């Protein structure tokens, strides 16, 4: 009997069992691979699962049909509730670390992007026997169904943006505002020189 079995495989995965939730899987992925997965639409944005989006949709703030509301979209699609300027700011925060002094001494905030966690869900499918298959001995996870972003959409877009800037420096805006301070294109380019988006030890997400 012949057939094609389509799945994505993630290596170096640990499984955690959470009461009331079930299995949660954790792994490290390079920013370059995050970029590739998003660019190829292997990981998509789900409006219906976004925190705060459903209320805005029901209030009529987005002109989406019911069918579109349940669709899956690219992270760069116009129909999604993601602010590109905010993602640009987060990308620059990642690059700058805590190098920028807060604009007001009494303001405890600084420019650090504190967490690198990304959250994915695997959408169930009635036609599939299982959505994922975990091999504990080899620490691999096979994913058979669509991967969706239920949260952390801006963080996804920030990593995507940073990798895009690395590949094409001419796509960097002339300036990016970070907490009321303009960071110029040349400064962003210089920071990117030291970034290897394929280095899982330095530039990765969980």
């Amino acid at each position: 009997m012949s057939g094609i079995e389509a799945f994505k495989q993630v290596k170096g995965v640990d499984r955690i069992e959470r009461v009331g939730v079930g299995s949660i899987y954790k792994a490290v992925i390079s920013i370059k691979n995050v970029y590739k997965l998003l660019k190829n639409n292997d990981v998509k944005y789900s409006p219906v699962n976004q925190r705060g989006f459903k209320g805005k949709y029901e209030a009529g703030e987005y002109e989406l049909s019911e069918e579109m509301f349940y669709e899956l979209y690219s992270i760069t699609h116009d129909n999604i509730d993601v602010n590109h300027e905010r993602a640009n700011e987060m990308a620059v925060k990642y690059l700058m670390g805590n190098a920028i002094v807060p604009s007001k001494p009494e303001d405890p905030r600084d420019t650090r992007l504190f967490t690198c966690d990304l959250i994915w869900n695997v959408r169930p499918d009635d036609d599939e026997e299982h959505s994922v298959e975990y091999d504990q001995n080899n620490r691999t996870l096979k994913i058979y169904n669509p991967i969706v972003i239920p949260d952390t959409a801006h963080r996804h877009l920030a990593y995507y943006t940073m990798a895009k800037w690395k590949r094409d420096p001419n796509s960097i805006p002339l300036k990016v505002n970070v907490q009321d301070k303009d960071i110029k294109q040349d400064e962003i380019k210089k920071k990117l020189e030291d970034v290897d988006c394929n280095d899982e030890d330095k530039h990765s997400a969980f």
Side-chain angles (χ1 to χ4, degrees):
M1 182 176 179
S2 63
I4 298 175
E5 191 173 29
F7 59 86
K8 297 173 185 66
Q9 181 166 285
V10 186
K11 299 178 181 178
V13 179
D14 294 313
R15 181 172 59 187
I16 303 169
E17 295 295 335
R18 290 283 170 85
V19 177
V21 176
S23 297
I24 295 175
Y25 303 93
K26 297 194 71 174
V28 176
I29 181 171
S30 70
I31 288 176
K32 181 179 179 179
N33 280 333
V34 172
Y35 170 82
K36 289 170 65 177
L37 287 166
L38 292 169
K39 186 175 186 295
N40 295 333
N41 285 331
D42 291 319
V43 177
K44 295 184 178 182
Y45 178 98
S46 170
V48 70
N49 294 123
Q50 292 300 310
R51 181 177 57 190
F53 189 92
K54 187 172 183 179
K56 292 179 180 180
Y57 167 74
E58 291 176 345
E61 294 183 30
Y62 293 94
E63 296 182 0
L64 295 179
S65 66
E66 184 174 356
E67 181 180 353
M68 292 172 68
F69 183 58
Y70 289 92
E71 283 292 323
L72 300 179
Y73 296 94
S74 161
I75 193 66
T76 58
H77 199 282
D78 291 338
N79 279 348
I80 68 175
D81 185 25
V82 177
N83 186 310
H84 285 254
E85 290 184 1
R86 179 182 171 191
N88 288 350
E89 180 182 9
M90 292 174 71
V92 174
K93 283 183 176 184
Y94 181 100
L95 293 170
M96 301 299 292
N98 61 351
I100 304 172
V101 177
S103 57
K104 298 178 181 179
E106 65 274 15
D107 188 346
R109 299 176 304 164
D110 59 28
T111 59
R112 285 175 291 183
L113 187 62
F114 283 94
T115 178
C116 56
D117 288 357
L118 299 178
I119 300 172
W120 295 346
N121 282 349
V122 178
R123 210 171 243 202
D125 187 339
D126 293 338
D127 294 331
E128 294 284 354
E129 182 180 349
H130 42 235
S131 300
V132 299
E133 183 180 337
Y134 182 62
D135 184 333
Q136 187 168 353
N137 292 328
N138 293 312
R139 296 178 65 223
T140 58
L141 181 70
K142 290 181 180 179
I143 302 173
Y144 295 92
N145 290 349
I147 303 172
V148 299
I149 303 168
D151 205 345
T152 66
H154 282 95
R155 202 171 302 150
H156 278 80
L157 184 56
Y159 290 138
Y160 173 91
T161 298
M162 189 172 67
K164 179 184 175 183
W165 289 348
K166 179 69 175 179
R167 293 165 63 94
D168 179 16
N170 291 327
S171 67
I172 302 172
L174 293 177
K175 60 183 179 180
V176 174
N177 187 274
V178 179
Q179 294 178 201
D180 300 324
K181 180 179 177 64
D182 286 337
I183 309 301
K184 301 294 178 61
Q185 183 187 69
D186 288 345
E187 190 172 358
I188 297 171
K189 285 182 178 180
K190 188 168 182 60
K191 287 292 182 183
L192 278 167
E193 289 176 1
D194 299 326
V195 174
D196 178 1
C197 292
N198 203 37
D199 187 343
E200 287 187 354
D201 292 329
K202 292 183 178 179
H203 304 290
S204 58
F206 298 97

